[in-house]
Amino acid sequence: DAKTTQPTSMDCAEGRAANLPCNHSTISGNEYVYWYRQIHSQGPQYIIHGLKNNETNEMASLIITEDRKSSTLILPHATLRDTAVYYCIALQTGANNLFFGTGTRLTVIP
Amino acid sequence: GAVVSQHPSWVICKSGTSVKIECRSLDFQATTMFWYRQFPKQSLMLMATSNEGSKATYEQGVEKDKFLINHASLTLSTLTVTSAHPEDSSFYICSAGGGIGEGGYTFGSGTRLTVV
């Protein structure tokens, strides 16, 4: 699976959009980009995933660059409950497991 | 959606005793489940892959005789920490594939183990 690089931490004002970048320059054609988040002392929670098209669901939007070397997770209106560590993972179809990097610690500030 | 139930959510045990953690897929079958360990302020580290009806596959550096994994059915995997020591205190998390398209995984809520 391709390695991903994320900023260590970010702050976001409550109510504003949180844009979390992820670099995956070595991603291969059959690897999806997955985003999970982990709120303190809980198991990771699935957020969204995509291959090459932009995706949106009730939690977030995922913007993937045309060359697929990077992506951005967007939380449109961040709340205090969105404070968590966000993990970007490149996952090959049929892969057996997820390997987690260090992720981005997002702090939503009142 | 897919739900993975993990029990107990926390446990305190004495040094030298064994502790069993259960991981169940509630609404789907999982031939494969995964066990992770997470120390404070660190990321999740994969310990082992649990395979239904066969032996688990352990990551390098994980002692298979200390962390016993049993995956006797398509909905249940257990992790037993044998002869626990304070350094085994950690947050243990299981996951199972399925329920999310193209290979996504669902995670349990985790078990906080404290060995005293």
Side-chain angles (χ1 to χ4, degrees):
Chain A
D1 296 329
K3 179 181 178 180
T4 62
T5 306
Q6 299 176 251
T8 303
S9 63
M10 291 181 64
D11 291 340
C12 176
E14 186 179 18
R16 304 296 294 270
N19 297 281
L20 291 88
C22 179
N23 183 288
H24 33 79
S25 58
T26 61
I27 196 169
S28 62
N30 63 351
E31 286 183 312
Y32 287 77
V33 179
Y34 274 80
W35 284 82
Y36 286 79
R37 73 180 183 184
Q38 186 180 24
I39 295 171
H40 182 63
S41 294
Q42 297 183 25
Q45 176 190 22
Y46 166 81
I47 302 173
I48 198 168
H49 75 283
L51 184 62
K52 51 185 178 181
N53 296 324
N54 297 337
E55 302 288 345
T56 295
N57 63 19
E58 64 278 5
M59 290 183 68
S61 294
L62 174 61
I63 308 299
I64 303 174
T65 58
E66 192 170 343
D67 62 8
R68 302 212 323 125
K69 292 185 177 182
S70 65
S71 61
T72 301
L73 177 74
I74 301 173
L75 307 179
H77 305 287
T79 70
L80 299 179
R81 288 179 295 180
D82 292 321
T83 292
V85 178
Y86 287 77
Y87 297 97
C88 166
I89 302 170
L91 183 64
Q92 195 173 56
T93 304
N96 283 329
N97 51 53
L98 293 174
F99 284 96
F100 287 79
T102 54
T104 295
R105 182 173 297 278
L106 174 69
T107 302
V108 180
I109 302 170
Chain B
V3 177
V4 171
S5 174
Q6 190 172 340
H7 179 80
S9 57
W10 62 270
V11 58
I12 301 173
C13 72
K14 290 185 177 180
S15 187
T17 63
S18 295
V19 172
K20 180 184 286 187
I21 302 170
E22 293 188 347
C23 180
R24 296 179 183 273
S25 57
L26 296 187
D27 49 2
F28 65 102
Q29 294 182 330
T31 56
T32 304
M33 292 185 177
F34 307 97
W35 288 95
Y36 294 81
R37 180 169 53 183
Q38 185 175 34
F39 292 107
K41 297 187 178 180
Q42 294 187 22
S43 188
L44 285 77
M45 295 298 295
L46 181 67
M47 298 175 65
T49 301
S50 170
N51 304 298
E52 188 269 335
S54 64
K55 291 182 178 180
T57 304
Y58 291 82
E59 295 299 307
Q60 191 173 11
V62 178
E63 301 174 57
K64 62 180 181 180
D65 294 331
K66 181 170 185 62
F67 299 99
L68 300 179
I69 291 173
N70 183 280
H71 195 155
S73 76
L74 288 171
T75 59
L76 174 64
S77 175
T78 61
L79 168 68
T80 300
V81 182
T82 63
S83 187
H85 291 285
E87 57 264 31
D88 299 322
S89 298
S90 188
F91 192 52
Y92 293 86
I93 308 167
C94 69
S95 76
I100 301 173
E102 292 88 30
Y105 296 85
T106 304
F107 288 81
S109 55
T111 298
R112 174 77 57 193
L113 170 63
T114 303
V115 185
V116 298

